[in-house]
Amino acid sequence: SNDSDCAHRTGTYYGSTADDAPSISLAHPFFAPSQKDNPLMWNWNHVMLRYCDGAYFSGTRQKPVLVEGTSVHYQGYYITTGLLEDLGVRYKLRASSDVVFSGCSAGGIHIYAHLDALRAMLPSTVRVSGLADSGFYLDKHLFTPLKHFVVKGQRGTWLLNKHCLKDNRGVEERCLIGSVNAQYLKTPLFAWQSQYDTDQRTCEMTAECSNSRACVQAYGDELATALHHKLLSNSEMGAFVDSCSRHCATTGLPHDDVSGLTPLQAFAAWYDGRGRTFGQLKKNPCDTCCMDDSPSRRILFML
């Protein structure tokens, strides 16, 4: 939320890849190699971009900021464009038939906020879609103002929707919030979202509310309503809204109340035009909602 926070992050996992191992495990279900579990993308080419810039890969400051002897770089936008350019040169990205940009948590926020800009970086001949897990946050006073540093301090507005920015002059950080920016999206997006997301229960509500079953239920109801009104009002969009207490994927996957499909099976159905809305309609808490233990020229991006 400020330069000092970012300077501290440079020495941690969340601010640098300097200490990363040469290889990492692609453990998220989006990368599952099983055709049953991941029927659309099981045999696609997968690209993992490890999040570490603190601004959803959108910063555009040309020069580093010196903070207590530490040089902090705010150039996430150039990581985004550099990655796509490199993949275009080395792996013929621009000749792809299908590209899905995905992410969870901060990566999910990134997809809601920047999907149209990412779509514009690829030829119109490429079918581009978004798949966002745990990225649909509400516009709450405990959360949204924390994003002000992203748009001002890191100058992270170049990838944001221009109509959203125009409608939110002075509070441009609102355009990073799913319940605000979803209504502006044009590129097809499939949302996988919990009503009772455990991260949102820590950063978007007070401790008193988080400890209240009724308060969490009210938040979940508000989230589900916002997602339907802001995202699903566009017939190009789809969603799987589950009732699990989770943030990002869990070891157990939820099943749609009607079809029995898991989120990735539902995503494949949506992609093929076989439905738009999936999920669960369970009250909080639901201890049985995530009990399942099942684990080309097409490209999945995980951001």
Side-chain angles (χ1 to χ4, degrees):
S1 59
N2 56 53
D3 289 322
S4 295
D5 285 347
C6 289
H8 172 73
R9 284 170 67 106
T10 62
T12 72
Y13 175 86
Y14 296 103
S16 174
T17 60
D19 295 326
D20 283 12
S23 62
I24 60 174
S25 173
L26 301 181
H28 194 283
F30 290 171
F31 298 118
S34 162
Q35 187 172 9
K36 174 179 177 292
D37 296 336
N38 190 11
L40 180 66
M41 303 181 293
W42 67 280
N43 63 346
W44 287 26
N45 300 301
H46 296 161
V47 178
M48 172 71 174
L49 179 58
R50 221 268 281 157
Y51 181 60
C52 64
D53 84 316
Y56 316 109
F57 293 116
S58 66
T60 62
R61 294 190 70 147
Q62 295 291 322
K63 297 180 179 180
V65 176
L66 189 63
V67 184
E68 299 174 0
T70 298
S71 291
V72 183
H73 298 263
Y74 298 138
Q75 297 187 328
Y77 169 84
Y78 303 105
I79 296 175
T80 297
T81 56
L83 172 71
L84 296 182
E85 289 172 4
D86 183 64
L87 291 172
V89 171
R90 294 202 291 164
Y91 299 104
K92 298 184 177 5
L93 171 65
R94 296 174 64 84
S96 300
S97 61
D98 300 63
V99 170
V100 171
F101 289 101
S102 68
C104 85
S105 192
I109 292 173
H110 179 40
I111 299 306
Y112 283 103
H114 302 147
L115 180 59
D116 284 342
L118 295 171
R119 201 287 76 104
M121 295 179 189
L122 294 176
S124 61
T125 53
V126 181
R127 180 179 179 180
V128 176
S129 301
L131 175 57
D133 176 14
S134 306
F136 191 85
Y137 285 70
L138 298 181
D139 182 19
K140 296 294 185 181
H141 73 278
L142 292 176
F143 184 71
T144 303
L146 298 176
K147 307 306 171 185
H148 183 75
F149 183 75
V150 173
V151 300
K152 296 300 182 183
Q154 295 215 34
R155 300 175 186 169
T157 60
W158 288 8
L159 295 175
L160 293 174
N161 183 282
K162 299 303 183 282
H163 297 291
C164 184
L165 291 173
K166 180 180 178 181
D167 291 343
N168 291 277
R169 286 197 179 106
V171 284
E172 290 85 356
E173 59 268 21
R174 296 186 74 238
C175 296
L176 287 163
I177 308 302
S179 63
V180 176
N181 60 42
Q183 63 187 311
Y184 297 95
L185 273 170
K186 302 299 182 185
T187 307
L189 180 147
F190 189 87
W192 177 15
Q193 180 68 40
S194 170
Q195 284 183 266
Y196 316 121
D197 186 288
T198 51
D199 183 68
Q200 290 166 245
R201 282 155 60 175
T202 62
C203 66
E204 291 214 318
M205 62 182 72
T206 65
E208 181 181 8
C209 178
S210 183
N211 290 324
S212 165
R213 180 178 298 185
C215 194
V216 172
Q217 181 66 55
Y219 177 92
D221 293 343
E222 181 184 356
L223 184 146
T225 298
L227 192 145
H228 278 82
H229 287 171
K230 301 297 186 179
L231 182 72
L232 294 176
S233 58
N234 183 336
S235 62
E236 294 290 311
M237 310 304 177
F240 190 112
V241 181
D242 65 69
S243 303
C244 304
S245 291
R246 68 171 186 89
H247 182 67
C248 291
T250 65
T251 54
L253 295 175
H255 290 260
D256 176 61
D257 284 340
V258 177
S259 65
L261 297 177
T262 65
L264 282 176
Q265 291 167 347
F267 172 65
W270 168 78
Y271 200 82
D272 291 338
R274 294 181 285 113
R276 288 208 307 129
T277 58
F278 306 86
Q280 302 168 325
L281 295 172
K282 303 294 195 301
K283 297 296 183 182
N284 171 65
C286 179
D287 295 332
T288 61
C289 283
C290 277
M291 294 298 290
D292 182 19
D293 57 2
S294 60
S296 112
R297 288 189 302 118
R298 299 180 173 92
I299 298 176
L300 164 69
F301 278 93
M302 186 68 173
L303 304 172

